[in-house]
Amino acid sequence: MARITIKVNEQEYPCYFTLGAGLEFKQIIGHDISKMDTTDLVEVGTLLYCQCKSACRREKIDFPYGYEDFMDQVTDMDLFAVLKEQEDPAKKK
């Protein structure tokens, strides 16, 4: 698995899908990711949050952000950069 990361406050965190991320997304948004509106930045940002939180749990990395704190720190440009990287990890910088 390619190790995709997102930088939040100058700290990099792993960011990839796990079943735990899918579960948390469903608990926060109220529906499964299969029904996710990919044009809704809040839903996409929520998935990103869930991926980071779950990947950090999996890798035993401290993830100090709650949902709203994370959303306040991540810009649309951060979001698009991670999405682009997840589309084609081979193009990672």
Side-chain angles (χ1 to χ4, degrees), residues 36-41 43-44:
M36 186 173 109
D37 179 355
T38 57
T39 64
D40 183 331
L41 290 182
E43 286 197 15
V44 177

Side-chain angles (χ1 to χ4, degrees), residues 41-84:
L41 290 182
V42 171
E43 286 197 15
V44 177
T46 300
L47 181 58
L48 187 69
Y49 165 75
C50 295
Q51 288 179 327
C52 289
K53 185 175 177 185
S54 180
C56 283
R57 266 195 316 263
R58 184 173 192 243
E59 295 186 24
K60 299 184 180 10
I61 296 170
D62 181 46
F63 187 70
Y65 299 100
Y67 178 63
E68 288 184 19
D69 292 334
F70 179 83
M71 297 293 265
D72 286 341
Q73 299 303 316
V74 176
T75 68
D76 58 342
M77 297 308 291
D78 297 329
L79 182 67
F80 295 135
V82 171
L83 292 175
K84 179 84 171 141

Side-chain angles (χ1 to χ4, degrees), residues 15-29:
C15 186
Y16 51 82
F17 187 78
T18 66
L19 291 178
L23 175 63
E24 186 148 2
F25 177 87
K26 188 173 186 177
Q27 291 170 338
I28 292 171
I29 295 295

